[in-house]
Amino acid sequence: MIPAASLRRGRSSPDYHPPGVRTGDQERSERLRTVDLLSQLDRVALARLAGYMVPLAFAAGEVICSEGDPADGLYIVVRGTLGVYATGAGGERRMNAIGPGHYVGELALLVDQPRSATIRADTEGEILRLDRDQFLQLLGQDPAAAKAVATTLARRLRRRDMDSPTEELEAAAAPRQVVAGRIARRPAAKVVGLVLALAFGIIAFSPLIDLLPFLRNALAQQRFVLLLLAAVALWVTEPVPNVVVSLGLVATWIIGKLTYGEYPPFAGFASLNWVFVISVLGIAAMVSRSGLLLRMGLLLIERVPPRLGWQSAAFLVSGIVLTPILPLAMARAAVSAPLALSVAEALKLRDRSPASAVLGLSAWIGSGPFIFLFLNGSPVCLLAWAIMPTAAQNQFTWTQWFLAAAPLAAIIGVGSFIALRLLHRGEPIAPVSRDPLRLQRAVLGRPSRRELALMGIVLLTLVGWILAPHFQIHPGLIALIAFIAAMTLYGRSNLASLDWDYLVFYGVALTIANFVVGLSLDRILKEGAAPILAQLEIGGPAFVLLAGVLTIVVRSLLAADQAIILLSIALIPVASVVGISPWLAVIPILALGLSWHIPAQSPEYLVAYGASQGRLFSHAQGRRMAFVYDAIALGGLALCLPYWHLLGLL
């Protein structure tokens, strides 16, 4: 009899089957679809789960797990029969038999308790093993899958009349979450933020405002600036949720009667730019839930040679290619990081080794910082574009934006690849195993008609954005039509899945940009900056680099969204003073806007770190690469200045 530990350490199950039997991956896929525990998972969720399953062969008489062993995973029978044995007063007694399509150890997915029975093979066959930690990590990224599995387990637990099902279900309903937000602020910082915000608010609505040395005889302008400073204090220290700050800012505008003709407090929510973002995020939500991204990732891993350099380049390039299709850095990071982890496991790389860090950081950099390459690369790109003057918006169509930003992206991409390769010190790479990838592909099956139709909608949307300027059509209208078509295709609304906290902030941000123009603050900024820049002899090229440095500094205090809007509002009006296009004030902000040199200020980076279970790279490795990325981006800005001069932007 083979000890259970030897099976847990695992030996890959061969794909040999007697004549007439389906291939291994097809058979495993069919078994997974018949397991009632997974019956409520859709194809994509089941395929993601399949990537965590390890096929293990067993011989007749082999012990799968022993009574009293740690309950660390679930076993699904693909072929063969297992016997369940329990020890009582009269010795070991056979309790049950488990055949193909059945499973054992489901409670191990919920609670960390010893095995209550011994599982021994009656015949030779094969099982799929699902580790508990990996199961919880996956469900932490997919609440819908967690709910589906918890519902099935609840029915099974009720049938078993467990003594305390409530505690078990709570464990299932609250799996470990992927880190997807900033690290909590210290209480002292929150108190400081509240005090500063309260002080700015009191001054804005009291006679003290007349004592201010700036913007004299302009009450509305003074009040607006003070209220914005109060919001910034709260955004930095985060004593309350950001959506509360955004809505509170609107409330104070109304109380302060900051309504000026075409710029009411809710003007941003009534703009086509806001509809543009809702539509883009809605399409992105449907794409992320479809099997398209997973198929692309699997194709990438299977087709690229299993060598570190090739895989690193593939993750960089694939993340960039996915940017216009899925314009959410968090979503791209959540997809690419687990794929990178799968490759690292297939290559048998040590956790947080230099080679693992190369893969993990390649996946993050490709899916995150390159938002600046596309007009729709991120909602903040659309926000910066919306803040630009109308003439500049008309000039920078989707195509023009891409052509102007492409050289900078190429420099940063190549520079990042070289820098990442320098982290690798010749660690030996083992032959790659593609078994989990083949199983995932088998579970996904052929692309469905809805997947193909959604792919067509996405491609037509990109074409529409390219052609829209020739017909004087706002890109937001193209996005809205595509969103309507996608919702019609899927037969249900996806609005509930959108990040409405962010959309509220986005609408308020657009209103802030309108107020800056309506209150002539852009003119005041321009007139105030002109003599300072002249005295310091800062021209267009130096201003572009200065914008990049300021972005790095401000990102140390604020999250990307707030940092990008405040810097865009401040720097876009000043661009004309030094004789450059407003786009050149925007591009350094966006190129460095997702800098992660302070991880606590970069939720997107934390998603990439958490989605890889922290196994690919450490924060120290990530921070070191962040500073290198900042240097590469600043160098890229300098190298692209002659090109932008030829384009007439400088």
Side-chain angles (χ1 to χ4, degrees):
M1 182 168 61
I2 300 175
S6 67
L7 182 69
R8 284 197 298 273
R9 283 193 296 269
R11 60 178 187 272
S12 296
S13 174
D15 279 343
Y16 167 77
H17 295 278
V21 177
R22 291 182 180 274
T23 62
D25 293 317
Q26 291 174 331
E27 185 179 13
R28 294 164 193 152
S29 173
E30 291 174 359
R31 292 303 183 205
L32 285 176
R33 293 191 182 100
T34 63
V35 175
D36 67 335
L37 179 64
L38 311 176
S39 60
Q40 295 192 45
L41 297 181
D42 60 30
R43 262 187 327 141
V44 179
L46 185 59
R48 291 195 183 104
L49 189 63
Y52 292 85
M53 294 183 175
V54 179
L56 298 171
F58 57 82
E62 186 170 355
V63 173
I64 307 300
C65 61
S66 298
E67 185 175 355
D69 281 352
D72 56 356
L74 169 77
Y75 298 101
I76 299 173
V77 181
V78 178
R79 288 180 290 109
T81 305
L82 304 177
V84 181
Y85 300 86
T87 303
E92 188 177 75
R93 184 164 59 95
R94 185 181 178 93
M95 305 294 296
N96 197 3
I98 304 172
H102 295 275
Y103 55 92
V104 64
E106 68 278 10
L107 294 185
L109 301 180
L110 305 180
V111 291
D112 188 12
Q113 294 181 350
R115 299 283 185 187
S116 60
T118 296
I119 309 299
R120 186 180 301 116
D122 293 335
T123 65
E124 67 174 14
E126 179 186 85
I127 56 174
L128 290 172
R129 182 181 183 277
L130 177 59
D131 181 78
R132 178 175 185 263
D133 289 341
Q134 292 184 328
F135 174 76
L136 293 179
Q137 190 271 335
L138 175 71
L139 296 188
Q141 301 175 51
D142 194 339
K147 181 179 178 182
V149 174
T151 300
T152 304
L153 280 173
R155 291 198 299 266
R156 182 155 181 160
L157 290 172
R158 281 197 295 270
R159 290 197 300 267
R160 291 188 176 188
D161 294 324
M162 291 189 63
D163 294 332
S164 56
T166 301
E167 291 79 3
E168 308 293 348
L169 290 179
E170 286 177 353
R176 280 180 292 172
Q177 298 295 317
V178 174
V179 179
R182 292 180 295 281
I183 298 172
R185 303 296 186 191
R186 293 182 178 179
K190 296 182 178 182
V191 172
V192 171
L194 285 171
V195 171
L196 287 175
L198 184 61
F200 287 132
I202 290 174
I203 296 174
F205 293 100
S206 71
L208 293 174
I209 197 171
D210 295 329
L211 302 178
L212 294 177
F214 64 91
L215 301 176
R216 290 191 178 277
N217 302 320
L219 177 61
Q221 295 170 333
Q222 290 175 326
R223 185 166 288 167
F224 173 80
V225 171
L226 286 169
L227 293 176
L228 185 57
L229 289 174
V232 170
L234 295 176
W235 280 332
V236 171
T237 57
E238 296 181 312
V240 295
N242 284 336
V243 66
V244 174
V245 179
S246 301
L247 293 175
L249 190 57
V250 173
T252 56
W253 287 340
I254 296 173
I255 294 172
K257 299 181 180 180
L258 294 178
T259 55
Y260 299 93
E262 60 178 318
Y263 301 115
F266 289 98
F269 296 91
S271 67
L272 193 53
N273 288 324
W274 193 67
V275 176
F276 191 178
V277 172
I278 288 181
S279 302
V280 168
L281 294 183
I283 296 171
M286 281 180 268
V287 170
S288 63
R289 282 197 297 272
S290 72
L292 293 177
L293 294 180
L294 184 56
R295 290 182 190 281
M296 292 180 65
L298 295 176
L299 180 65
L300 161 72
I301 297 173
E302 287 189 294
R303 297 291 185 245
V304 175
R307 290 191 290 273
L308 187 64
W310 282 101
Q311 292 289 343
S312 173
F315 276 114
L316 279 170
V317 173
S318 63
I320 296 172
V321 171
L322 287 176
T323 299
I325 300 174
L326 183 61
L328 288 171
M330 277 191 182
R332 293 193 300 272
V335 170
S336 61
L339 290 174
L341 180 58
S342 297
V343 173
E345 290 176 338
L347 294 174
K348 297 180 174 59
L349 302 179
R350 293 178 294 107
D351 289 355
R352 300 188 178 189
S353 67
S356 293
V358 168
L359 287 179
L361 291 171
S362 297
W364 153 240
I365 294 174
S367 60
F370 282 89
I371 59 173
F372 66 90
L373 181 56
F374 304 97
L375 173 59
N376 66 316
S378 169
V380 292
C381 295
L382 298 174
L383 177 59
W385 176 79
I387 296 174
M388 290 165 54
T390 303
Q393 292 182 27
N394 294 334
Q395 177 186 4
F396 280 93
T397 62
W398 193 93
T399 305
Q400 290 302 115
W401 184 295
F402 173 78
L403 293 176
L408 177 61
I411 292 171
I412 294 178
V414 173
S416 297
F417 174 78
I418 294 174
L420 286 168
R421 292 291 287 132
L422 293 177
L423 293 175
H424 179 55
R425 295 292 185 268
E427 182 176 350
I429 304 298
V432 63
S433 171
R434 304 184 186 272
D435 290 345
L437 308 180
R438 291 200 302 266
L439 177 56
Q440 286 181 289
R441 187 153 45 83
V443 172
L444 279 175
R446 294 183 177 180
S448 66
R449 292 182 179 179
R450 287 204 304 184
E451 283 180 299
L452 295 175
L454 182 60
M455 181 184 296
I457 290 173
V458 171
L459 294 177
L460 288 175
T461 302
L462 295 178
V463 172
W465 285 336
I466 295 173
L467 299 179
H470 300 287
F471 300 96
Q472 296 183 341
I473 299 175
H474 193 286
L477 180 59
I478 302 292
L480 178 60
I481 294 173
F483 184 36
I484 293 172
M487 284 197 296
T488 303
L489 173 68
Y490 274 77
R492 58 187 176 87
S493 173
N494 283 268
L495 294 178
S497 64
L498 299 183
D499 185 352
W500 286 99
D501 286 1
Y502 178 79
L503 287 171
V504 168
F505 165 78
Y506 194 90
V508 172
L510 290 173
T511 305
I512 291 174
N514 290 336
F515 273 12
V516 168
V517 176
L519 295 172
S520 299
L521 288 173
D522 56 339
R523 177 180 55 80
I524 294 172
L525 283 170
K526 186 187 305 183
E527 293 174 353
I532 298 175
L533 294 175
Q535 184 177 0
L536 296 176
E537 298 182 351
I538 295 178
F543 181 80
V544 173
L545 298 178
L546 177 62
V549 174
L550 286 175
T551 302
I552 296 174
V553 174
V554 175
R555 280 288 285 113
S556 301
L557 302 173
L558 288 171
D561 301 332
Q562 292 90 357
I564 289 173
I565 179 179
L566 293 176
L567 287 168
S568 298
I569 289 173
L571 298 183
I572 286 176
V574 184
S576 61
V577 174
V578 293
I580 65 174
S581 166
W583 184 83
L584 286 182
V586 166
I587 201 65
I589 298 172
L590 295 175
L592 290 152
L594 291 188
S595 179
W596 64 100
H597 54 279
I598 297 183
Q601 286 298 111
S602 182
E604 298 83 1
Y605 162 82
L606 291 177
V607 166
Y609 178 84
S612 63
Q613 306 175 38
R615 294 173 52 193
L616 291 178
F617 55 89
S618 65
H619 285 314
Q621 291 170 317
R623 188 179 295 109
R624 184 165 60 250
M625 185 60 204
F627 284 111
V628 173
Y629 174 89
D630 291 345
I632 293 172
L634 290 174
L637 290 170
L639 292 174
C640 287
L641 291 173
Y643 173 73
W644 290 329
H645 179 74
L646 291 175
L647 295 181
L649 304 177
L650 190 64

